[in-house]
Each structure stands twice: as C-alpha cells, then as structure tokens.
Amino acid sequence: MGTPAAISAKGLAVKAGRNVLLQPLNLSFADGEFVGVLGPSGCGKSTLLRCLAGLQPLSQGQVFLGLKPLEQLTSVERRKIGFVPQDDVVHGSLRVDRALTYTGRLMGLTGDALSGRVNQVIELLELQERRGVRTDKLSGGQRKRVSIAMELLGEPQVLFLDEPTAGLDPALEDSFMSSCQKLCRGGRTLLMSTHVMQSLDCLDLVLVLLKGHMIFLGPPQQGLSYFQVPSLTMIYKQLAQQDPLQAQQRFAASPLYQTYVAGRAP
Ligand SMILES: Nc1ncnc2c1ncn2[C@@H]1O[C@H](COP(=O)(O)OP(=O)(O)O)[C@@H](O)[C@H]1O
Ligand SMILES: [Mg+2]
C-alpha cells in the first residue's frame, strides 16, 4: 500500500427527492494535487464539493480524509478541511490584516503564532500591498484572496474553492491560478469548481460533470484529445449535445478511467 489519499469518496451519490443530483462516483486525490471540477451550470459541482467537504449529507457512500470517514473526524481533524463558498464571507469594514487577525483569534490563535500566521497567509496570497486596505475597498479578485487567506489560517490539508474565478478577467485569473498552484506545492490538496476558465494548464487533474454524471477525470492535456478540442473552454457546446449516461459510459470504458478512477480506488 502507498500513502493514503488526502481525500477520497466511495460510491458517493446525492438525491433530492426523486432527482439524482450526483450519480454514484468514486474519487481519490493525493496530497498536493490541484483539481478543477468543470461542467455546465447545474451539473452538480457545488454539490460535489460540499459533500466532499462534509457540508452536505450524502444519500449513499462515504467520504474519507486520509483513512478516516468524515463522520468519525474529531473537531480538530475537521479543521483540516477548508471551504471557500462562492459568495464571499469577508466582513466589510475591517482592514485586511485586522479581518485576518480577528478570524485567527476565533480559531484559537494568539500572540506571535497569530501574527506569524497572518503574515504568512498575506504573503502566500500576495496581499502585502493590500494589508492595510478595508476589505470593502478591494476588487473582487482581492476579496476572494482574503476569503482564501482566512481559510488558510487554519492550515487546512484539503481546501475547496467554489467558483473562485467567477468575475475575474483573464489576466487576474492567470495570476490567481498560479497562487493556487503555489498552495499545492506545499502538499495541500486543492479542489476548485469552475464554470468556464482559460488557464487550466495549472491543474493536475480536471473532473468534468454532466447532469450529475462524471464524464471525465484526467490531466487537462488528455482532456483535449479525449474531447477533441483545442481548448477545454470549447467542450461546453459539445456537452450540450451529449447524453450524460452515454458520456459516463464512454468514460468508464476508457483507459483514463482505469488510471484515475479504478486504479486509485479508496
Ligand atoms: N437542495 C436541493 N434540492 C433540490 N435540488 C437541488 C438542491 N440543491 C441543488 N439542487 C439542484 O441540483 C443541481 C446541481 O446543483 P449545483 O451542485 O449547485 O450545480 P453547479 O454548482 O454545478 O451549478 C441543480 O440542478 C440544482 O438545481
Ligand atoms: Mg455551483
């Protein structure tokens, strides 16, 4: 046996009444992996991230942090999972550094440990020049960085970001993605959902959902040949014409499924 996955799911499925929001799926991601969850609006991206983060109950299956099922985690272990929702939770009137200090204090940090950690996350997310600015004076991208910095104060091992690049222009998106890549280099696993994005090359893996079906999981470059597109931003037109079940079956029969799903079974 190798090292256990950072986060994994076995037979994860979600229903709401008669609607199946997520078909049963198996997933397993390693330490330091940067994963993008793509798919049209309403395909189940947020549902999947929330389930993996333990914020939404599953109808079937189990999620594991390392080897431990989420429901068995102690409150200290639960802090190893961070989640940044699509709508920012940053307080308006505080300066960036004060907002972070306040949040860190709520997490139980004090003294030098607190100020050290605040400086560290400010640097990591390249907020040095903005540290004295009120959060309501920040741009959307900067406010998103502050939301992520707040989660990082707790030093999560696995971090979920729900559509963090929505509203960023391509240049900002690029630099944001590089910051995220940097976060993963320290061994942190990062899962990010996105509706559409230019800079997918930073990602280690791309997961594509279509109406609750997993229809692709693999490196972005392999996605290009799988969908026969020059850029993954072009899959959406194709997805609109595909039958989700058939697309899932095609993926289940592919070598990529063997490598990235079956070969990684939790
Ligand atoms: N609590 C719920 N009850 C019923 N349907 C829901 C609920 N939450 C989400 N949905 C539906 O589930 C589907 C997936 O939603 P979501 O995960 O938010 O998709 P995405 O993030 O990809 O846009 C959507 O069709 C949405 O309307
Ligand atoms: Mg969503």
Side-chain angles (χ1 to χ4, degrees):
M1 277 292 287
T3 6
I7 190 107
S8 57
K10 200 172 173 180
L12 184 167
V14 182
K15 283 184 206 152
R18 281 191 192 162
N19 292 339
V20 180
L21 306 190
L22 285 175
Q23 298 288 341
L25 50 82
N26 296 325
L27 291 173
S28 179
F29 300 117
D31 287 330
E33 262 179 337
F34 186 11
V35 184
V37 179
L38 269 71
S41 173
C43 67
K45 300 181 295 295
S46 299
T47 305
L48 177 61
L49 295 192
R50 290 176 54 79
C51 286
L52 290 174
L55 299 172
Q56 183 172 334
L58 319 181
S59 307
Q60 276 174 58
Q62 236 174 354
V63 177
F64 301 84
L65 182 74
L67 293 171
K68 220 170 178 187
L70 289 195
E71 64 273 15
Q72 288 176 20
L73 299 182
T74 63
S75 56
V76 172
E77 288 168 332
R78 278 208 52 83
R79 286 195 215 139
K80 293 182 180 168
I81 301 177
F83 189 94
V84 179
Q86 186 170 357
D87 301 314
D88 291 303
V89 287
V90 174
H91 311 279
S93 59
L94 291 176
R95 289 164 44 140
V96 169
D97 49 4
R98 301 236 170 92
L100 287 166
T101 303
Y102 178 74
T103 303
R105 215 169 269 146
L106 290 179
M107 288 175 175
L109 294 165
T110 52
D112 289 348
L114 174 60
S115 53
R117 192 83 62 78
V118 166
N119 289 335
Q120 197 185 11
V121 297
I122 282 178
E123 210 167 300
L124 210 52
L125 287 151
E126 289 159 29
L127 287 162
Q128 294 97 321
E129 287 171 14
R130 309 264 89 194
R131 65 178 298 150
V133 177
R134 277 169 54 140
T135 52
D136 55 0
K137 300 278 188 280
L138 298 174
S139 70
Q142 289 163 351
R143 196 167 314 126
K144 183 59 74 181
R145 282 174 205 263
V146 175
S147 297
I148 295 170
M150 283 179 170
E151 281 301 303
L152 289 178
L153 287 169
E155 301 198 304
Q157 229 169 320
V158 183
L159 181 61
F160 296 93
L161 308 176
D162 199 4
E163 305 232 16
T165 58
L168 298 191
D169 68 39
L172 283 175
E173 186 190 286
D174 265 353
S175 76
F176 178 81
M177 290 294 279
S178 314
S179 303
C180 289
Q181 211 178 13
K182 207 163 68 180
L183 295 181
C184 294
R185 277 193 215 116
R188 201 175 278 115
T189 305
L190 210 155
L191 273 90
M192 157 190 302
S193 74
T194 169
H195 176 60
V196 66
M197 185 188 276
Q198 306 290 331
S199 37
L200 293 167
D201 283 343
C202 290
L203 299 169
D204 296 309
L205 291 171
V206 169
L207 189 166
V208 183
L209 289 174
L210 186 61
K211 295 208 173 120
H213 295 259
M214 177 162 68
I215 65 156
F216 180 82
L217 176 60
Q221 284 302 322
Q222 305 237 25
L224 301 182
S225 49
Y226 187 85
F227 292 104
Q228 297 194 312
V229 286
S231 150
L232 281 177
T233 55
M234 292 172 77
I235 61 173
Y236 287 90
K237 209 187 268 178
Q238 194 185 115
L239 295 184
Q241 292 158 3
Q242 281 189 10
D243 174 67
L245 180 60
Q246 277 176 13
Q248 180 187 4
Q249 288 166 344
R250 180 190 164 213
F251 175 58
S254 76
L256 287 164
Y257 184 90
Q258 287 307 317
T259 307
Y260 296 101
V261 184
R264 288 182 165 206

